[in-house]
Amino acid sequence: MADTAEEIASPMAGATTGHYYWDRGLGDSLNRPEKIADPAEVERRSTDGSSVWNAAGTWEERSIGSWAKDSLRERLLGRTLSVAPLTSFVVTKVCKVDGQASVLFTRGKKRVGFNFDVELEWEGEYPDHGKVMGVINLADVSESSYDLADDAACRVVSRGTAPKSIEPQIVKNAAKASAALSDVFAALLEDLRARA
């Protein structure tokens, strides 16, 4: 093996172009990005809703969280429920909707998912005690666990003019009312599936 002093000093001495062994001789044409002629080409969707570039259906995720959050706020605000003995139960304010919603295309199948933390303020009328109000915190409500009958998922705090002695009963009834909000999340899931 007869290496000249020049070949030893410059390891790329024999290469025509490139800087690594693997692309020796390929030139720069393979390493340059190509300009997209039509920007609408990027946004085109195939018949199943996935992007045209994902013809193999490997993995694609699109966020639809802002739409889902706005939709959830609209569905919850002003929602009136009837739970005895509360004569009325109204969601008066949606304080917080944190989380995400997305459409996932994987292995040729479309899946929709969401995960939200929601905080609501409510008011109601309690027989013989007048106006009562409180806060409902719904934690980790997702497409697979939106049945709010589970007490662990819902925390209710009562505030208002009712005496402290009946507060546990008010909280219990408000928790029942918040469980009735499950249908809001079920409807959201159906709309996300239709929208995707």
Side-chain angles (χ1 to χ4, degrees):
M1 186 163 154
D3 291 328
T4 65
E6 186 177 297
E7 287 175 336
I8 292 172
S10 174
M12 296 303 294
T16 58
T17 61
H19 58 280
Y20 292 108
Y21 177 77
W22 58 268
D23 76 335
R24 185 176 53 197
L26 297 178
D28 289 334
S29 63
L30 294 178
N31 296 330
R32 291 189 184 156
E34 295 179 24
K35 184 175 182 178
I36 298 173
D38 182 15
E41 181 75 20
V42 177
E43 292 299 317
R44 273 196 344 212
R45 306 275 181 231
S46 66
T47 57
D48 68 351
S50 63
S51 295
V52 172
W53 62 263
N54 193 11
T58 54
W59 179 273
E60 179 182 352
E61 184 174 8
R62 274 187 273 137
S63 174
I64 50 177
S66 61
W67 176 86
K69 288 177 186 178
D70 292 343
S71 178
L72 197 53
R73 281 186 183 94
E74 286 177 23
R75 293 166 195 257
L76 291 169
L77 187 61
R79 179 71 186 236
T80 303
L81 302 168
S82 176
V83 178
L86 290 170
T87 55
S88 70
F89 180 96
V90 180
V91 175
T92 58
K93 183 178 179 184
V94 179
C95 304
K96 174 179 88 166
V97 177
D98 288 339
Q100 61 184 357
S102 60
V103 179
L104 176 67
F105 296 93
T106 180
R107 297 182 183 168
K109 294 182 182 175
K110 176 174 63 172
R111 296 184 175 104
V112 178
F114 63 83
N115 190 317
F116 290 114
D117 292 332
V118 180
E119 183 177 303
L120 310 168
E121 290 183 5
W122 61 271
E123 288 183 2
E125 293 288 327
Y126 204 78
D128 302 325
H129 297 289
K131 184 176 178 180
V132 291
M133 59 188 124
V135 176
I136 298 173
N137 290 310
L138 305 171
D140 291 327
V141 181
S142 70
E143 76 282 354
S144 60
S145 64
Y146 60 83
D147 183 5
L148 302 177
D150 179 14
D151 291 339
C154 174
R155 184 179 69 84
V156 179
V157 178
S158 174
R159 301 182 213 136
T161 59
K164 291 283 185 192
S165 62
I166 66 163
E167 189 167 307
Q169 185 65 29
I170 294 170
V171 169
K172 181 179 176 184
N173 290 317
K176 284 182 192 175
S178 64
L181 295 173
S182 297
D183 66 334
V184 170
F185 292 96
L188 176 68
L189 181 59
E190 289 306 311
D191 284 354
L192 288 172
R193 286 180 178 146
R195 185 176 173 83

